[in-house]
Amino acid sequence: MELTVWTYEGPPHVGAMRIATAMKGVHYVLHAPQGDTYADLLFTMIERRDHRPPVTYTTFQARDLGKDTAELFKNAAREAYERFRPDAMLVGASCTAELIQDDPGGLARALNLPVPVVPLELPSYQRKENWGAAETFYHLVRGILTATQTEAAAERPANRPVSCNILGPTALGYRHRDDLTEITRLLGVMGIAVNVTAPMGATPADIARIPEADFNVVLYPETADTTARWLKRAFRQPYTTVVPIGVGATREFVAEVAELAGIDPAKARDEIESRLPWYSRSVDSNYLTGKRVFVFGDATHAIAAARVASEELGFEVVGLGTYSREFARDVRAAAERHGVEALITDDYLEVEDRVQELQPEMVLGTQMERHIAKRLGIPCAVISAPVHVQDYPARYSPVMGFEGANVLFDTFVHPLVMGLEEHLLGMFRDDFEFNDEARPSHLGGGQRVADTAPSDENTASDELNWAGEAESELKKVPFFVRGKARRNTEAYARERGIATITIETLYDAKAHFGK
């Protein structure tokens, strides 16, 4: 475990909270000290939920460690059942309470509560939030199904309509609510009924009906892949492997679903389409084509965003990475397709170093990459959790399906500077609002970081001199690539032992790096 001021994922019990909060009729009793009781903040402030998460804490204090903390847990579990009367309960320990080894699962079983009690063993010092969510969902589904029926394929009448389950959407998920609406609508157009959606909106009784469907739609592998694999083994339910983010992936998703359902996919393709293909062809080619982008996030969204950026908008993916170590192999395979080296890390400082090294023209990432990009003066769009409150918009804003592709077009394109805008900025360079010292308004106020940051932390800034005419010529370069031009020129000059950068050096460096 490493101390840090920022983490891409919380501990695994936060993942368990996301499952419990997404469902109905489920309550989570968490053995935790004061200080680990922050669920309300996560779900009511960041996600703007209109009800509190169904979590009860034991909230033991330092003075309780010399007493019977196990009894504190049993009392909390008993009182939570009496107060909330849930249909099922989850019990577990936070990262701090894990150290005292009170065994919440065994203690809860000893209470003989009249509802299913699912014990969670989530190793906080080896695993993180998404894994915790996946494990919680898996154990909850398996616990309920094995209690209600044997692990054998359910008999599905041949004459009933084709149906599927949608698995994966949780509380505190990036656009999960709107993605669910969009994919449910898409399946409806195809004539496929949704049997159960879980965990979002599901009750324990709904979980018991999961085997009745013909197949499962896995929207978020980080959460639902483990459960889908078990359902395939136990009930012979196949599941989808294509995540419908972007026009190309959504078309492939429709084809995969149609094959599993044994129907013609043409209706969905004909009746629902995206504006992204036409929009990306219709805009100024200088606006999109060849823009160098760096992509980082959870595995599902990072892989999808890189594909959309490259195949549907004409960007060049110069970097791709994830903090989802469980899906590192998938990200490495995607990075190889783009001809780049994957960055697998949960250290935001490593991500910042890679961004500085690659000098992309745009960053697609998480809330942390938004901060990194703003500090470096690079346009950025958020495409993955972790996110902050502004990324839970009141408007309908999915990223999946054909409408999601429209949202992605806007998300990726709006932070950029259009060709006409670039021309006008050049024309009005001396204007008080657009002069070279004025930072672009969409990147915040203050001094332009990209122009002033040293080109190499290990090199003194006074080693090189810029001739006046070279400085003037550099200012003709658009502001959003000027920092890169300065760094490239200085690197070129150092390699050749040039002490004073002239116009000739500037253009020689441009020719050198343009090869």
Side-chain angles (χ1 to χ4, degrees), residues 48 174-175 177-179 181 382 389-399 403 406-408 410-411 414:
R48 296 195 263 218
Y174 179 66
R175 307 292 173 86
R177 175 195 62 195
D178 294 344
D179 285 348
T181 300
V382 172
V389 62
Q390 65 263 46
D391 295 302
Y392 291 98
R395 68 185 183 280
Y396 181 60
S397 189
V399 296
E403 181 59 29
N406 295 334
V407 173
L408 287 178
D410 293 340
T411 300
H414 287 175

Side-chain angles (χ1 to χ4, degrees), residues 288-308:
L288 300 179
T289 306
K291 293 288 186 186
R292 302 172 71 257
V293 296
F294 174 82
V295 185
F296 192 87
D298 69 49
T300 294
H301 288 91
I303 292 171
R307 177 179 175 178
V308 172

Side-chain angles (χ1 to χ4, degrees), residues 283-493:
V283 297
D284 176 0
S285 61
N286 292 327
Y287 190 6
L288 300 179
T289 306
K291 293 288 186 186
R292 302 172 71 257
V293 296
F294 174 82
V295 185
F296 192 87
D298 69 49
T300 294
H301 288 91
I303 292 171
R307 177 179 175 178
V308 172
S310 175
E311 297 180 8
E312 300 178 17
L313 294 177
F315 293 164
E316 178 190 357
V317 176
V318 297
L320 174 61
T322 185
Y323 55 81
S324 304
R325 294 185 181 275
E326 291 83 4
F327 292 85
R329 181 178 299 178
D330 299 323
V331 175
R332 287 194 177 98
E336 187 175 350
R337 290 193 294 272
H338 292 287
V340 300
E341 180 184 357
L343 176 63
I344 312 298
T345 183
D346 55 6
D347 185 345
Y348 69 95
L349 294 175
E350 288 186 36
V351 179
E352 182 167 3
D353 288 343
R354 184 65 63 89
V355 172
Q356 288 183 306
E357 173 192 340
L358 295 173
Q359 285 300 309
E361 294 163 272
M362 186 179 187
V363 173
L364 304 175
T366 73
Q367 177 187 339
M368 190 64 233
E369 281 66 54
R370 173 162 51 200
H371 295 316
I372 291 170
K374 180 178 287 188
R375 199 156 52 242
L376 298 175
I378 303 172
C380 179
V382 172
I383 52 94
S384 164
V387 296
H388 201 30
V389 62
Q390 65 263 46
D391 295 302
Y392 291 98
R395 68 185 183 280
Y396 181 60
S397 189
V399 296
M400 288 188 176
F402 292 121
E403 181 59 29
N406 295 334
V407 173
L408 287 178
F409 176 87
D410 293 340
T411 300
F412 289 14
V413 166
H414 287 175
L416 297 173
V417 177
M418 294 183 66
L420 176 59
E421 185 180 1
E422 178 184 337
H423 175 68
L424 292 173
L425 287 170
M427 286 179 60
F428 294 99
R429 187 182 297 114
D430 296 326
D431 185 273
F432 76 96
E433 191 174 1
F434 300 107
N435 68 77
D436 290 311
E437 299 306 316
R439 187 183 180 90
S441 58
H442 68 287
L443 295 179
Q447 191 178 24
R448 188 176 292 121
V449 176
D451 287 359
T452 59
S455 55
D456 189 328
E457 292 180 359
N458 299 319
T459 305
S461 59
D462 59 355
E463 275 188 15
L464 295 173
N465 295 316
W466 280 75
E469 64 273 14
E471 283 278 13
S472 298
E473 193 69 14
L474 181 66
K475 289 182 179 180
K476 295 179 182 179
V477 177
F479 65 81
F480 44 88
V481 291
R482 193 178 302 155
K484 178 184 173 184
R486 178 185 289 275
R487 281 183 283 273
N488 283 350
T489 304
E490 291 180 352
Y492 177 86

Side-chain angles (χ1 to χ4, degrees), residues 32-49:
Q34 286 183 331
D36 281 358
T37 55
Y38 45 73
D40 284 7
L41 178 68
L42 287 174
F43 295 99
T44 60
M45 188 194 83
I46 296 179
E47 196 178 12
R48 296 195 263 218
R49 279 188 165 261

